């Protein structure tokens, strides 16, 4: 992933960000993959879904993991 400087980040158009308030830059596929990884760590489910939608529309050839079949069963499991 190429380093994104502050000057370059400020120059990016709004369409090159997937998150709210110009967060999660997705100007190339490398940054889009990184946005998915960071979102799965830190973003709320609603923001995560929005990020996935932005990436899917900008990079239709990228495979974005969805919910697995087993996740439906894990929803009923208690969280520890």
């Amino acid at each position: 992933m190429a380093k994104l400087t502050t000057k370059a980040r400020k120059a990016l158009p709004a369409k090159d960000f997937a998150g709210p308030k110009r967060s999660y830059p997705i100007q190339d596929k490398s940054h889009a993959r990184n946005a998915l990884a960071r979102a799965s760590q830190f973003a709320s489910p609603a923001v995560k879904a929005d990020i996935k939608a932005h990436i899917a529309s900008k990079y239709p050839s990228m495979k974005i993991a969805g919910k697995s079949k087993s996740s439906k069963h894990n929803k009923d499991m208690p969280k520890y």
Side-chain angles (χ1 to χ4, degrees), residues 23-63:
S23 59
Y24 300 101
I26 57 168
Q27 77 275 15
D28 55 31
K29 284 186 178 183
S30 176
H31 278 85
R33 282 190 290 276
N34 191 314
L36 286 172
R38 296 307 130 240
S40 66
Q41 287 180 322
F42 302 112
S44 68
V47 172
K48 197 182 313 182
D50 196 34
I51 290 169
K52 285 181 179 182
H54 275 91
I55 292 171
S57 67
K58 184 164 180 166
Y59 301 107
S61 64
M62 267 183 78
K63 291 189 178 189

Side-chain angles (χ1 to χ4, degrees), residues 1-40:
M1 181 170 67
K3 184 172 173 84
L4 183 60
T5 64
T6 303
K7 185 177 180 180
R9 183 184 171 100
K10 287 181 180 182
L12 289 175
K15 67 179 181 143
D16 283 344
F17 292 90
K21 299 182 183 177
R22 295 179 57 94
S23 59
Y24 300 101
I26 57 168
Q27 77 275 15
D28 55 31
K29 284 186 178 183
S30 176
H31 278 85
R33 282 190 290 276
N34 191 314
L36 286 172
R38 296 307 130 240
S40 66

